[in-house]
Amino acid sequence: QFGGKEVLEGAIPAVLERDLAALEVLFDVKEAEVLVQEKASSKLLCRHPYPSISCVGRCTWSPRIFAFCVVSSPESPDGSTFDCLVFASSSEQECEEIIGRIAAGFKHTEWFV
């Protein structure tokens, strides 16, 4: 129910415990949105404009795992509910770069909205 960065430490393990099938994806951090495509087919899995992203970060116990929260029901009268999307990068450096790019886009959008 809360989309702040403080929820990531609990949300990431909760998502990983679901033991969902992992997919190899292509992550495209654009100027106004984040796109995630299935690597094998290039099928668009999700598209999230920065205003729908509430936070981004990585977990402290694994430097390659990162996540971001997105608004899942913006029309909700009591605010919004959020989904946590979890990813594993190929390296710690790649993880840092992706987080930094999402954070920069998110901050840029907040400032200009």
Side-chain angles (χ1 to χ4, degrees):
Q1 291 183 350
F2 305 101
K5 190 173 181 178
E6 65 278 356
V7 303
L8 292 178
E9 267 312 302
I12 292 172
V15 170
L16 295 175
E17 286 172 8
R18 290 185 175 180
D19 203 26
L20 301 170
L23 291 174
E24 271 195 82
V25 298
L26 300 171
F27 215 84
D28 192 1
V29 183
K30 296 196 172 285
E31 186 174 311
E33 64 189 353
V34 174
L35 303 174
V36 181
Q37 294 177 298
E38 187 175 12
K39 187 174 183 178
S41 68
S42 297
K43 175 185 173 187
L44 183 64
L45 299 174
C46 59
R47 164 183 269 146
H48 296 290
Y50 288 116
S52 72
I53 299 173
S54 64
C55 68
V56 62
R58 67 179 187 177
C59 61
T60 55
W61 46 269
S62 180
R64 291 181 33 242
I65 296 177
F66 68 97
F68 60 93
C69 292
V70 295
V71 175
S72 61
S73 59
E75 66 285 344
S76 171
D78 61 341
S80 298
T81 56
F82 298 86
D83 291 329
C84 180
L85 306 174
V86 179
F87 302 90
S89 61
S90 60
S91 69
E92 185 175 350
Q93 180 181 354
E94 182 181 66
C95 182
E96 287 287 333
E97 182 180 331
I98 293 169
I99 290 171
R101 290 181 65 197
I102 293 173
F106 175 68
K107 288 176 186 171
H108 174 78
T109 302
E110 280 188 321
W111 192 67
F112 286 105
V113 169

